[in-house]
Amino acid sequence: MRALSGAPCPPRDEVLPVQASLSRPAAATILAIALAAVGLGPAASPAAAATIPAGSGSYTDSRPAGTSGPTTNTGAPVTPKVTAAARNKPVPTNDWWSSLAYQRYGDNPYSTPMYGHPLTYQATSGGLEVGYPTTPAIVGEGRQYEYAHKADLTVGLSGLNSPDTKADDWSDWTVTPYWSDGTRTLRTTIGHGMPFVYAKGSGGDARITTAGTPTVFADNGNVLGVTVAGHHYALFAPTGSDWAVSGSTITAGLGGKDYFSLAVLPSTDALATYRKYAFSFVTGSKVAWESAGGTVRATYSLTTEAKEGSERGTIQALYRHQWLHTTDALTPYTYVSPRGTMKVRESASFTTSQRNQGVLPALPASSGVDKARLTGYLNEVANASDPFSGASDTYWTGKALGRLAQLVPVADQIGQPGIRDKLLGLMKGRLQEWFTAGGAAEFSYDKDWKTLTGYPASYGSDTELNDHHFHYSYYVYAAAVIAQYDQAWAADSAWGTMVKTLVRDTANPSRTDTAYPFLRGFDVYAGHSWASGHQGFAAGNNQESSSESVNLSAGLVLWGSATGDTGLRDLGSYLLTTESEAITQYWFDADQQVFPGSFGHDTVGMVWGSGGAYSTWWTANPEEIHGINVLPVTGGSLHLARAKAAVKRNIAEMERENGGPAVEWRDLLWQFESLADPAAAKAKWDAGNAGYTPEQGESKAHTYHWITTLDSLGAPDMTVSGDIPTSAVFAKNGVRTYSAHNHGSTARTVTFSDGATLSVPARSTATGTGTGGGPDPEEPGPSTGNTFRLKSGGTLTTATDGAAGADTLASADGVNRDGTPYKPTVYEVRKVDGKLSAGTSTTFRLRVDAGTKVGLAPQARVSYDLTGDGTFDRTETFRYFATDPVTGWEEYTQAAGTAAVTGSLGDLKGGTVRLEVWNALGNGTSQVQTGTDAAVVKIPYV
């Protein structure tokens, strides 16, 4: 049975692990809480209040009669499972480790599996299970891949038998579980990207219990190297201690100290490197972001304390969405994860830099839109007998608000102020109902969980703390559209405080706010949000509709821009830009480097801690599996155009699985396709726009405007960004159209990264071909040479400075991979302009080394995307190079000859050149040199 289009049926929590909590979709006593520096307005402690004023609005501190707050799976009320030290600290529910604090299942007072990557964890009575899953399983009739948690060992203390595990401390992406049985206490600090587990214990010896008898590969007293289930671990006890191995039990006295640690090693020869950081204990994690000049930069830092010696550094494993966008030095070490290869950095911090993914209030005006026809479609919505379609709960009310919000700037654009103002009135009226306590719909604050819940609730937003970022995204976005036209309505003294309170619940930028947690659902290190409030699944946490998460980020950009709150605007830019890359890689597998080769799908509907699933919470209909990560289509959806080839593959797979073009969600999927191929989408609209029923968050007015506008202007050009976040670029037949909205009270000039400028009047949108323009200064092409060096981190560059390094080529896993890239190491340069040089061809010089491994065969493929649209027009696969089993670099060049060539070359116009290198044969890893003149690709262009 399928739900109404647009949201899932209520989740069935007990289905594990394939499914997870869908997370969708009178007199008062006031205690004001100051929020200096974050601009989120006044807050109130609900300690003794019944109704809490918030500007013109209000909310309550007690739930409406007959409703529930967070419960266990049996319906019993539940409070946060934290230590006394953490009791007054807001819990960031909807995280990768939330089951430590939220006891969803009454018979499990410890945790469900938690996926930190590269390590996985599960709390038990005796301590912390630790695993490193490296082999994927395909389950659910081929619809899900997972690297499921399986314990290699358990970290504990001799005799530890704790009745529960509690969250004792946490920071941006680390957490410290706590065990106590009255005699012994144990704390461990774990986190994303951390190959170490840092332990502090009292009342017993350090005890490591392995899943099987370990193989010892190094024994240096207090430092022990063991191999368990094919994975290598290093154990570190205080200096002067000695590890003792007895069967599957390893113990060490702590000699009056209270600390020890362990690390999973990428290889046994990494022990010396990791040993340096064994006693540099991580004590916290923090991200700092900035958005300026069209670029979003983020720095991810760990704080440490030296338990021995003076070393304060550490080791971090970066996810693909991070190492693709850093120029910081990386080591040759790598790890396996459900998100593809993780690369290792020796440092306590790293920085990423990405183009700002722009947001527009609406697509710009274009000649392709028939204003009379569009006016007719607009009137159908504005004059409907019930514009909210009977919606009563937070989710479906939000969907209806979103549908109206998309049409306000469209009506304004075509000179229909009457329709615009009618739509604005409808939105204001409904928001004000929700923003006022005591009516049929209201928001209520839970002092235990420090969260704001809307009632009537839906999809577990109350009982499981699911989906607040999904539901409230529509309210924030709608409020931002209202603020664009009516700033007085959005003032803190009016309705702005209630909007900001919803923001505090879902995306609070403050770490010192005692009423709401920092970024409740957004996992800054994983790069995306999580939907389940309790994370109570064997597969970890999950997120289905990544696009509704982006809807909140886009709403923050627009709200912050409209109200002059640059802090919230820039937060929105950081969240959107970061999650955009995560969606591109982990939901759509745009580079085809993440999903296992045995997983037969090009996209997933849901990302899990353990992997991903080609499914939704409520239906197996391919249209909804593909469409759930598209809706709602807004001016914040343009980022999806950054990987056009992936969009085309996505649509093609949907039609294969569906047995033909979309029927139920055709409007969403037409709009999605138009981001990569506007003409194809327009043809489908022309053929099928009569007689269809819009998806419930959509309207014919919006779909018509979207498709015809992109058909006129071209698809979004994501290689160029403007210096304000409310800007975008479109390209058709080599011509770029620039658009920006200026929310400010004075005119301004917007400068784009290709040098073009656009004058934008105050409180207006401007569109044009721009003035100036030229090559992107951040991505030099062949104008500075046609020879590119390989740079660790996946880059081809014309720069000749930089240190020599090496990247690891993954094993072929004993299977013949000749001709087909398998877990390739990829290097790429974009925005390349060049004229094809007659009589020349691709050449390359690569230094490779298999060490002493026998029978390896590195192989290279060079691909050309001539226009940068995401489709590679030419691929050249070269014959593999058989390495010798002697340590030392060997040279592999184009002289090996081509094994296969497809497509044709032509001039490069903002094109992309990609080099893929992989092992075609053998059962071991090898290396390829980077950063030298012996690590180059020369393209046949001038």
Side-chain angles (χ1 to χ4, degrees):
M1 174 179 177
R2 63 182 296 277
L4 293 174
S5 127
C9 288
R12 296 178 295 279
D13 299 298
E14 291 70 31
V15 181
L16 296 175
V18 176
Q19 297 180 342
S21 142
L22 174 85
S23 314
R24 257 317 182 214
T29 301
I30 305 299
L31 175 62
I33 299 173
L35 286 176
V38 299
L40 290 182
S45 165
T51 300
I52 302 166
S56 296
S58 58
Y59 57 96
T60 67
D61 73 337
S62 57
R63 291 183 291 273
T67 64
S68 296
T71 64
T72 67
N73 62 315
T74 61
V78 64
T79 56
K81 188 162 59 79
V82 299
T83 63
R87 192 161 294 152
N88 295 320
K89 189 176 178 180
V91 176
T93 55
N94 310 73
D95 216 330
W96 67 274
W97 56 266
S98 295
S99 63
L100 275 173
Y102 192 135
Q103 188 177 342
R104 177 63 178 166
Y105 298 95
D107 59 352
N108 181 7
Y110 305 104
S111 81
T112 53
M114 301 173 288
Y115 293 82
H117 306 146
L119 292 173
T120 62
Y121 315 94
Q122 184 165 8
T124 68
S125 61
L128 183 70
E129 288 184 356
V130 178
Y132 174 40
T134 53
T135 303
I138 308 301
V139 299
E141 299 180 341
R143 287 177 168 263
Q144 180 166 351
Y145 77 88
E146 62 177 4
Y147 293 78
H149 168 71
K150 182 178 181 181
D152 288 339
L153 46 83
T154 299
V155 181
L157 299 174
S158 296
L160 179 65
N161 184 21
S162 179
D164 58 26
T165 309
K166 299 175 180 178
D168 184 57
D169 195 14
W170 52 85
S171 55
D172 288 8
W173 63 88
T174 64
V175 64
T176 300
Y178 170 87
W179 295 257
S180 176
D181 61 8
T183 301
R184 290 155 288 266
T185 63
L186 174 69
R187 290 174 174 86
T188 62
T189 296
I190 55 179
H192 278 315
M194 286 170 49
F196 280 92
V197 175
Y198 305 95
K200 293 183 180 182
S202 66
D205 294 340
R207 175 187 173 109
I208 309 296
T209 306
T210 59
T213 302
T215 300
V216 176
F217 65 83
D219 189 349
N220 300 301
N222 70 318
V223 179
L224 185 71
V226 298
T227 300
V228 182
H231 305 138
H232 310 300
Y233 291 90
L235 314 180
F236 306 99
T239 299
S241 300
D242 190 10
W243 291 102
V245 181
S246 176
S248 60
T249 301
I250 308 173
T251 58
L254 299 179
K257 306 294 195 305
D258 67 350
Y259 56 84
F260 62 101
S261 66
L262 67 81
V264 62
L265 304 179
S267 61
T268 56
D269 60 10
L271 177 59
T273 299
Y274 280 62
R275 183 174 184 171
K276 291 189 298 182
Y277 307 107
F279 301 111
S280 180
F281 274 42
V282 168
T283 58
S285 56
K286 186 175 183 179
V287 63
W289 61 84
E290 62 175 356
S291 176
T295 300
V296 174
R297 290 182 175 85
T299 298
Y300 300 83
S301 303
L302 295 173
T303 55
T304 63
E305 64 172 342
K307 291 297 185 181
E308 292 185 9
S310 59
E311 179 61 63
R312 297 293 299 273
T314 189
I315 289 178
Q316 298 184 79
L318 279 63
Y319 283 115
R320 180 175 182 82
H321 77 274
Q322 295 168 326
W323 58 254
L324 280 173
H325 298 287
T326 188
T327 58
D328 292 339
L330 303 174
T331 72
Y333 299 129
T334 62
Y335 289 104
V336 174
S337 87
R339 311 292 178 252
T341 299
M342 300 183 80
K343 297 190 176 185
V344 173
R345 173 166 166 77
E346 278 189 79
S347 178
S349 69
F350 64 91
T351 297
T352 61
S353 179
Q354 292 178 252
R355 294 194 184 286
N356 197 333
Q357 304 297 303
V359 178
L360 292 175
L363 294 186
S366 76
S367 60
V369 172
D370 182 326
K371 294 183 180 180
R373 183 178 184 182
L374 181 54
T375 299
Y377 287 144
L378 287 167
N379 277 318
E380 288 179 7
V381 177
N383 297 328
S385 59
D386 180 7
F388 292 90
S389 304
S392 61
D393 62 65
T394 48
Y395 182 72
W396 289 102
T397 298
K399 292 272 287 186
L401 286 167
R403 181 174 64 248
L404 301 180
Q406 298 312 308
L407 301 183
V408 170
V410 170
D412 188 55
Q413 185 183 100
I414 64 169
Q416 292 290 343
I419 298 175
R420 176 199 67 197
D421 293 344
K422 185 172 185 177
L423 296 171
L424 285 169
L426 290 168
M427 293 160 58
K428 290 177 182 178
R430 187 54 57 96
L431 282 173
Q432 290 166 200
E433 289 176 12
W434 276 90
F435 289 172
T436 304
E442 66 180 17
F443 286 95
S444 172
Y445 183 80
D446 185 313
K447 67 181 185 301
D448 293 324
W449 288 98
K450 302 188 187 306
T451 188
L452 193 74
T453 303
Y455 292 92
S458 54
Y459 306 113
S461 61
D462 51 352
T463 57
E464 300 177 46
L465 288 179
N466 294 340
D467 307 346
H468 286 202
H469 61 314
F470 291 168
H471 295 209
Y472 303 172
S473 72
Y474 293 101
Y475 294 71
V476 174
Y477 200 113
V481 171
I482 294 172
Q484 180 179 330
Y485 296 93
D486 187 348
Q487 291 189 310
W489 184 93
D492 287 350
S493 59
W495 302 98
T497 296
M498 277 302 297
V499 177
K500 290 180 178 180
T501 304
L502 265 63
V503 172
R504 289 171 67 201
D505 181 73
T506 54
N508 190 2
S510 172
R511 297 179 181 84
T512 59
D513 185 350
T514 59
Y516 297 93
F518 172 70
L519 297 181
R520 178 184 303 280
F522 192 83
D523 187 327
V524 295
Y525 204 90
H528 60 81
S529 298
W530 296 110
S532 169
H534 54 74
Q535 188 260 309
F537 303 95
N541 213 322
N542 73 95
Q543 178 159 269
E544 183 184 59
S545 183
S546 60
S547 47
E548 287 181 304
S549 180
V550 165
N551 194 46
L552 176 60
S553 304
L556 290 173
V557 171
L558 295 178
W559 172 264
S561 297
T563 61
D565 189 331
T566 57
L568 287 183
R569 180 199 66 191
D570 293 349
L571 168 63
S573 291
Y574 164 67
L575 298 177
L576 195 160
T577 300
T578 304
E579 192 153 23
S580 174
E581 184 65 78
I583 294 165
T584 299
Q585 299 298 332
Y586 311 142
W587 274 260
F588 298 155
D589 196 16
D591 297 334
Q592 298 180 294
Q593 301 294 306
V594 173
F595 297 170
S598 52
F599 182 62
H601 296 283
D602 291 323
T603 189
V604 295
M606 305 171 71
V607 160
W608 287 88
S610 65
Y614 186 78
S615 64
T616 73
W617 273 104
W618 78 102
T619 181
N621 182 352
E623 296 184 30
E624 282 135 310
I625 292 173
H626 289 257
I628 193 60
N629 285 291
V630 176
L631 64 83
V633 177
T634 76
S637 302
L638 303 179
H639 77 98
L640 293 170
R642 62 202 305 272
K644 294 179 175 62
V647 174
K648 293 176 182 178
R649 287 198 306 270
N650 196 304
I651 294 295
E653 180 180 18
M654 182 280 296
E655 293 185 348
R656 288 195 307 271
E657 295 283 334
N658 203 46
V663 177
E664 294 182 60
W665 279 10
R666 65 182 79 178
D667 45 359
L668 286 173
L669 294 163
W670 290 337
Q671 292 175 87
F672 183 41
E673 186 170 13
S674 69
L675 293 169
D677 191 342
K682 177 63 161 52
K684 290 178 179 178
W685 161 266
D686 289 341
N689 70 79
Y692 83 93
T693 300
E695 187 272 332
Q696 283 203 250
E698 266 299 340
S699 64
K700 286 190 176 181
H702 182 249
T703 301
Y704 170 71
H705 180 266
W706 182 276
I707 289 174
T708 53
T709 299
L710 291 181
D711 186 54
S712 297
L713 303 181
D717 183 347
M718 305 309 293
T719 67
V720 183
S721 60
D723 63 0
I724 64 172
T726 51
S727 59
V729 183
F730 307 86
K732 182 176 183 179
N733 298 329
V735 177
R736 284 175 173 158
T737 299
Y738 303 84
S739 184
H741 185 85
N742 177 12
H743 287 87
S745 59
T746 59
R748 66 166 297 162
T749 297
V750 176
T751 301
F752 293 84
S753 60
D754 63 350
T757 60
L758 184 68
S759 296
V760 191
R763 306 196 190 288
S764 301
T765 296
T767 304
T769 54
T771 59
D776 185 342
E778 293 186 10
E779 295 190 47
S783 59
T784 57
N786 60 358
T787 301
F788 297 91
R789 282 189 179 193
L790 281 64
K791 180 180 179 181
S792 290
T795 301
L796 293 174
T797 178
T798 54
T800 57
D801 56 349
D807 286 339
T808 299
L809 304 181
S811 171
D813 294 332
V815 177
N816 188 330
R817 313 290 183 179
D818 184 14
T820 302
Y822 177 71
K823 299 181 180 178
T825 299
V826 181
Y827 305 89
E828 190 173 273
V829 59
R830 301 181 182 182
K831 282 281 292 161
V832 181
D833 297 319
K835 183 175 178 59
L836 185 62
S837 179
T840 62
S841 59
T842 305
T843 62
F844 62 86
R845 183 183 179 196
L846 303 177
R847 281 187 175 175
V848 294
D849 179 27
T852 59
K853 302 179 185 75
V854 178
L856 305 191
Q859 190 166 20
R861 182 167 80 177
V862 180
S863 304
Y864 296 87
D865 171 359
L866 300 179
T867 61
D869 67 354
T871 299
F872 284 92
D873 307 279
R874 165 87 165 188
T875 62
E876 301 171 3
T877 304
F878 294 85
R879 295 189 178 95
Y880 61 71
F881 176 79
T883 54
D884 63 35
V886 180
T887 300
W889 296 112
E890 301 175 76
E891 193 158 279
Y892 173 31
T893 74
Q894 76 287 343
T898 55
V901 176
T902 63
S904 301
L905 287 170
D907 291 348
L908 285 163
K909 298 177 181 179
T912 299
V913 180
R914 176 183 291 178
L915 168 68
E916 298 166 274
V917 191
W918 71 98
N919 279 316
L921 302 173
N923 206 355
T925 62
S926 60
Q927 290 190 310
V928 60
Q929 194 175 81
T930 61
T932 73
D933 289 333
V936 296
V937 176
K938 186 174 182 179
I939 63 175
Y941 290 86
V942 294

